[in-house]
């Protein structure tokens, strides 16, 4: 199975997709926001392709449903769906800037006037870093607002960071190169007790480590810190139980310790072979492939946390490995001269040229299967669909899809008005039928009951 | 002109020659010995000659690749940046950084190690200027801003 691709021609520097909107930062300093659903719908030429296009680009979550896993055990159903995907695999969906202009939701100068080094959209807020520091402003605004994102974002910190990454607890990991690894905590209180608070302008920033950090990502409540200069490591956090004023049990996410990459991976490796980790798996590149480790999310100190899954052999990398990430559909390896996707079904997919930027959205609700790649003169949006048919517990590559984690009190699929029957009381009835317009998640409502264990 | 270490060089004539016009500013340069001695753990060292270092500064200053009292530089051959120095591990460096640390128009410089030192990354305006002149690509601009290696 090949991924399906939409190409958008233009000179872009960054991209994000969030709740039905595609955000494109142009190299000239503009920010253009498009109605993604209308754009995808415009590419559907026949109802015979509607299901494949919808699952590929608008509703990547739906086919992971438990009920469908049962249906896919029926080989005829499975083959029919695979055939639907295969029928559009070779179609060239190419749009130029004029063609996508009819789907423009809004445009503005990029906030602060500087191109972002990195961006995240989380809980309806755009977080971004430039040479002037870390900023945040509202995103996913209504059509009646003058701009699609805030043109006057708040400055949270003046550190010139390298990259940022959000988790769901809710924090942002901040990689500051030789300044170290930091974390922005979005909770109003209940902050970690054992990390140094180094900035509290709008929101608190804590120093997690003073070791070099090139980029970082979350493995459950922990942060895997990747360094292109030193040994990489896992910063381990633990949930500390305490009683609040009302004698209710509460949990606070405290720092525990760091574990060196050399203790996680078995292969001898100098630090020039990069490692990275996302959720349940950690990867370290080696000369002709990489090593995969399963991280067992346990709080029991007696249990083994790391289990070697596999050594994956590949043809030599296309230049030095300089970045990595993971999605449910596979492991993404950024080399100096190519981007390689090692898929969860064992196949590899290569984009054989240097990329400006790439993004995956494994923590999103509809775009888990997307890979966005910005090249010199275009954005390529890939949709991978092989992972729906993988055994999530047994696959060696890619994040394990855990449906339980995705239970929400609100419907998220285009095809469902009620994605989960449990606890749907908060669903705003007037949003029915427009079910990606989810209720805004209030980070201050974070409760220990929401913890994933 | 043979430039020497630890000596203040007034570059008025050199700038007038480079810019093709008379200048009304003072600009002096000193070649720091700290970035000429191998084996210093925290110092990058020039592989350019003394003259090459000063010529790199004149080219960078004339091109106005400024960020306050900091100026970033390149040595361009065949429209491509070439190596100007090494880091303590022997890694090749292609960016130069110059500083007027006392704001007295007395500059000194060293090879910038953007990969290991976040503060050695040029700002967007300078990098964009290099992209516009096709010295680097947009992809390499972002690699530099993100502290990732790239074959400049």
């Amino acid at each position: 199975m090949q991924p399906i691709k939409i190409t958008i021609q233009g000179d872009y520097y960054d991209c994000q997709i969030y709740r039905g909107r595609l955000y494109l930062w142009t190299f000239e300093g503009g920010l253009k926001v498009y109605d993604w659903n209308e754009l995808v719908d415009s590419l559907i030429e026949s109802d015979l392709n509607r299901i494949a296009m919808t699952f590929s680009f608008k509703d990547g979550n739906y086919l992971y449903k438990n009920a469908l896993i049962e249906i896919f055990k029926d080989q005829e159903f499975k083959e029919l769906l695979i055939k639907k995907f295969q029928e559009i695999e070779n179609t060239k969906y190419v749009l130029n800037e004029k063609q996508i202009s009819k789907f423009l939701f809004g445009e503005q100068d990029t906030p602060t006037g500087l191109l972002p080094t990195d961006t995240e959209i989380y809980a309806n807020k755009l977080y971004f870093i430039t040479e002037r520091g870390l900023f945040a402003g509202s995103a996913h605004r209504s059509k009646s607002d003058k701009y699609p994102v805030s043109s006057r974002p708040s400055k949270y910190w003046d550190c010139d960071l390298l990259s940022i990454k959000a988790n769901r607890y809710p924090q942002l990991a901040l990689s500051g190169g030789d300044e170290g690894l930091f974390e922005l905590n979005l909770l109003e209180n209940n902050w970690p007790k054992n990390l140094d608070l180094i900035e509290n302008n709008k929101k608190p920033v804590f120093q997690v480590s003073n070791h070099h950090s090139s980029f970082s990502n979350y493995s459950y409540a922990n942060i895997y810190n990747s360094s292109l200069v030193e040994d990489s490591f896992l910063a381990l956090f633990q949930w500390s139980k305490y009683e609040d004023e009302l004698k209710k049990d509460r949990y606070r996410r405290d720092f525990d310790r760091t574990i060196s990459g050399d203790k996680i991976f078995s292969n001898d490796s100098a630090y020039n072979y990069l490692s990275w980790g996302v959720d349940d798996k950690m990867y370290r590149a080696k000369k002709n492939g990489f090593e995969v480790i399963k991280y067992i999310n346990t709080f029991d100190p007696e249990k083994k946390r790391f289990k070697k899954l596999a050594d994956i052999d590949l043809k030599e990398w296309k230049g030095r490995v300089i970045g990595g990430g993971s999605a449910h559909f596979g492991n993404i390896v950024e080399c100096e001269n190519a981007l390689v996707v090692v898929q969860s079904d064992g196949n590899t997919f290569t984009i054989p040229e240097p990329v400006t930027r790439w993004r995956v959205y494994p923590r999103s609700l509809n775009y888990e299967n997307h890979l966005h790649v910005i090249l010199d003169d275009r954005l390529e949006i890939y949709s991978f669909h092989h992972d729906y048919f993988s055994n999530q517990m047994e696959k060696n590559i890619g994040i394990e899809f855990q449906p339980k984690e995705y239970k929400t009190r609100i419907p998220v699929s285009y095809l469902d008005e009620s994605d989960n029957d449990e606890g749907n009381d908060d669903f705003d009835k007037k949003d029915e039928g427009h079910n990606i317009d989810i209720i805004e998640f209030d980070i201050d409502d974070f409760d220990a009951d929401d913890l994933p264990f | 002109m043979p430039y020497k270490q630890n000596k203040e060089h007034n570059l008025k004539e050199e700038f007038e020659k480079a810019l093709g016009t008379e200048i009304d500013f003072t600009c002096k340069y000193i070649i720091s010995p700290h970035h000429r001695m191998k084996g210093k753990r925290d110092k990058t060292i020039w592989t350019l000659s003394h003259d090459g270092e000063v010529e790199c500064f004149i080219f960078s200053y004339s091109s106005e690749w400024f960020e306050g009292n900091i100026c970033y530089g390149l040595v361009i051959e065949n429209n491509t940046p070439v190596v100007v120095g090494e880091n303590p591990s022997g890694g090749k460096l292609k960016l130069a950084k110059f500083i007027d640390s006392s704001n007295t128009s007395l500059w000194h410089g060293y090879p910038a190690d953007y990969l290991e030192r976040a503060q050695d990354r040029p700002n967007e305006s300078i990098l964009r200027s290099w992209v516009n002149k096709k010295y680097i690509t947009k992809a390499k601009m972002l690699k530099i801003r993100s502290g990732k290696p790239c074959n400049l």
Side-chain angles (χ1 to χ4, degrees):
Chain A
M1 279 184 277
Q2 288 293 308
I4 299 160
K5 180 172 77 171
I6 295 174
T7 300
I8 298 174
Q9 294 166 336
D11 191 4
Y12 303 115
Y13 197 71
D14 202 356
C15 63
Q16 285 285 349
I17 191 163
Y18 184 75
R19 294 180 61 185
R21 293 180 196 165
L22 179 68
Y23 295 73
L24 296 181
W25 281 260
T26 67
F27 190 59
E28 290 309 309
L31 170 58
K32 296 185 176 185
V33 182
Y34 296 94
D35 186 317
W36 176 244
N37 303 321
E38 283 185 14
L39 190 155
V40 173
D41 286 344
S42 77
L43 299 171
I44 301 172
E45 291 172 341
S46 157
D47 278 342
L48 294 173
N49 297 335
R50 186 170 298 280
I51 284 178
M53 283 296 279
T54 300
F55 289 149
S56 293
F57 292 108
K58 288 166 57 177
D59 199 355
N61 183 270
Y62 192 86
L63 293 180
Y64 280 116
K65 279 171 157 299
N66 276 336
L68 288 173
I69 291 170
E70 289 303 309
I71 289 176
F72 292 155
K73 286 178 183 168
D74 182 328
Q75 198 63 20
E76 288 181 11
F77 270 106
K78 183 178 166 181
E79 283 173 9
L80 177 63
L81 189 59
I82 290 173
K83 185 167 165 275
K84 287 282 172 194
F85 285 123
Q86 285 171 336
E87 280 171 358
I88 58 170
E89 275 176 6
N90 295 320
T91 307
K92 291 192 188 314
Y93 299 107
V94 182
L95 294 160
N96 59 36
E97 288 177 82
K98 190 180 172 191
Q99 287 168 316
I100 59 166
S101 64
K102 59 184 149 188
F103 309 112
L104 190 68
F105 177 85
E107 65 180 314
Q108 62 188 98
D109 289 340
T110 183
T112 74
L114 291 170
L115 290 175
T117 307
D118 201 3
T119 56
E120 278 278 41
I121 303 181
Y122 175 74
N124 293 332
K125 264 195 168 181
L126 169 67
Y127 296 86
F128 61 97
I129 52 173
T130 73
E131 66 206 38
R132 289 189 200 145
L134 170 67
F135 296 83
S138 60
H140 200 75
R141 292 171 138 197
S142 70
K143 186 79 178 166
S144 57
D145 285 319
K146 188 175 178 185
Y147 297 117
V149 305
S150 170
S151 60
R152 288 183 292 178
S154 299
K155 187 172 188 173
Y156 280 20
W157 193 25
D158 60 6
C159 187
D160 185 2
L161 297 161
L162 303 186
S163 70
I164 56 176
K165 187 65 74 180
N167 74 357
R168 282 181 272 141
Y169 289 113
Q171 289 90 21
L172 260 81
L174 313 172
S175 292
D178 51 336
E179 300 277 331
L181 173 67
F182 304 88
E183 189 174 68
L184 176 78
N185 202 312
L186 300 172
L187 293 170
E188 287 301 309
N189 48 44
N190 212 13
W191 302 335
K193 290 282 185 203
N194 50 2
L195 289 177
D196 288 338
L197 177 68
I198 57 153
E199 176 71 54
N200 198 2
N201 181 18
K202 306 277 183 188
K203 294 283 180 185
V205 175
F206 294 90
Q207 179 134 30
V208 179
S209 168
N210 55 15
H211 284 279
H212 188 277
S213 178
S214 297
F215 61 92
S216 45
N217 208 324
Y218 283 92
S219 168
Y220 303 103
N222 315 306
I223 305 174
Y224 196 91
N225 181 76
S226 302
S227 172
L228 286 148
V229 173
E230 297 177 11
D231 187 24
S232 302
F233 60 86
L234 179 69
L236 213 57
F237 285 77
Q238 61 187 358
W239 296 100
S240 308
K241 190 176 175 183
Y242 70 99
E243 280 187 350
D244 66 10
E245 307 84 44
L246 302 171
K247 302 288 178 192
K248 186 183 174 188
D249 280 350
R250 308 283 288 182
Y251 289 86
R252 185 181 59 242
R253 180 174 161 273
D254 283 329
F255 176 70
D256 181 0
R257 65 188 189 276
T258 60
I259 301 175
S260 159
D262 282 335
K263 290 200 163 61
I264 296 170
F265 297 93
S266 62
N267 288 331
D268 287 339
S269 182
Y271 57 71
N272 56 347
Y273 286 118
L274 186 63
S275 63
W276 59 94
V278 187
D279 289 352
D280 68 311
K281 294 188 185 71
M282 287 156 194
Y283 307 86
R284 180 151 78 177
K286 51 184 188 169
K287 192 176 178 188
N288 292 316
F290 56 85
E291 182 183 357
V292 189
I293 300 290
K294 174 88 174 174
Y295 174 73
I296 295 125
N297 190 29
T298 177
F299 299 96
D300 181 350
E302 300 301 314
K303 280 193 177 167
K304 202 176 167 190
R305 287 179 186 272
F306 306 102
K307 179 187 164 194
K308 181 164 178 168
L309 278 184
D311 279 310
I312 307 292
D313 292 326
L314 290 167
K315 287 179 191 167
E316 206 159 326
W317 298 115
K318 285 34 178 191
R320 182 179 170 185
V321 174
I322 60 170
S326 199
H328 298 94
F329 61 81
N331 194 18
I332 297 93
V333 186
E334 182 184 6
C335 304
E336 274 185 278
N337 305 315
L339 190 70
V340 181
V341 181
V342 185
Q343 298 179 183
S344 56
D345 62 2
N347 293 320
T348 57
F349 178 80
T350 301
I351 297 165
E353 58 185 296
V355 304
T356 300
R357 195 193 296 271
W358 58 273
R359 288 198 177 282
V360 288
Y361 308 89
R363 297 185 177 100
S364 74
L365 291 173
N366 285 308
Y367 314 111
E368 300 98 324
N369 56 337
H370 282 209
L371 167 65
H372 294 190
V373 184
I374 296 177
L375 296 152
D376 201 38
D377 57 355
R378 65 196 184 279
L379 164 68
E380 294 184 340
I381 297 177
Y382 292 90
S383 163
F384 291 82
H385 42 272
H386 59 274
D387 193 55
Y388 300 126
F389 312 106
S390 301
N391 184 324
Q392 295 295 319
M393 303 276 280
E394 291 178 6
K395 69 184 189 184
N396 281 340
I397 300 168
I399 301 168
E400 177 186 334
F401 189 89
Q402 295 170 321
K404 200 176 168 188
E405 283 188 31
Y406 282 76
K407 279 189 178 168
T408 61
R409 286 172 289 185
I410 41 123
V412 294
S413 166
Y414 286 83
L415 302 177
D416 249 0
E417 287 197 345
S418 176
D419 196 50
N420 284 295
D421 293 334
E422 296 171 37
N424 220 5
D425 299 337
D426 291 345
F427 178 52
D428 186 346
K429 290 290 180 192
K430 69 177 185 283
D431 281 344
E432 277 182 345
H434 185 208
N435 48 19
I436 59 154
D437 216 356
I438 58 173
I439 299 159
E440 191 167 336
F441 169 53
D442 186 348
I443 55 173
D444 299 332
D445 284 347
F446 178 73
D447 191 279
D449 293 340
D450 292 332
L451 292 174
F453 59 88
Chain B
M1 176 178 172
Y3 300 99
K4 291 183 178 168
Q5 274 183 192
N6 258 343
K7 181 176 180 299
E8 285 184 22
H9 300 280
N10 190 325
L11 300 179
K12 187 173 190 302
E13 276 182 31
E14 287 85 339
F15 273 109
E16 288 181 340
K17 192 175 166 191
L19 297 169
T21 181
E22 285 192 15
I23 60 167
D24 57 0
F25 59 85
T26 305
C27 185
K28 291 175 285 183
Y29 191 85
I30 186 164
I31 295 173
S32 165
H34 299 300
H35 295 284
R36 291 279 162 189
M37 289 183 285
K38 278 195 174 182
K40 289 219 166 195
R41 206 167 55 119
D42 58 342
K43 301 284 185 198
T44 59
I45 54 163
W46 293 100
T47 50
L48 295 176
S49 65
H50 292 171
D51 286 12
E53 177 183 336
V54 177
E55 283 163 16
C56 176
F57 171 67
I58 293 168
F59 176 54
S60 308
Y61 193 103
S62 309
S63 303
E64 301 183 354
W65 293 329
F66 290 113
E67 192 183 320
N69 64 337
I70 293 169
C71 184
Y72 282 92
L74 298 170
V75 173
I76 300 295
E77 288 176 9
N78 300 321
N79 220 44
T80 304
V82 298
V83 173
V84 300
E86 291 179 356
N87 65 20
S89 314
K92 305 293 181 203
L93 306 174
K94 293 188 175 179
L95 307 186
K97 185 174 180 177
F98 303 99
I99 303 173
D100 174 13
S101 48
S102 53
N103 280 313
T104 54
S105 299
L106 176 60
W107 294 76
H108 74 281
Y110 57 88
D113 191 356
Y114 80 87
L115 193 60
E116 299 217 8
R117 301 174 195 185
Q119 70 274 20
D120 276 5
R121 293 172 295 152
N123 68 16
E124 180 201 314
S125 165
I126 295 167
L127 291 168
R128 187 186 279 276
S129 163
W130 294 351
V131 173
N132 291 339
K133 287 181 181 296
K134 301 197 185 308
Y135 296 152
I136 63 172
T137 61
K138 180 179 65 173
K140 289 175 182 177
M141 170 177 167
L142 184 58
K143 297 283 181 297
I144 293 171
R145 287 296 311 149
S146 306
K148 288 182 174 178
C150 60
N151 187 17
L152 280 173

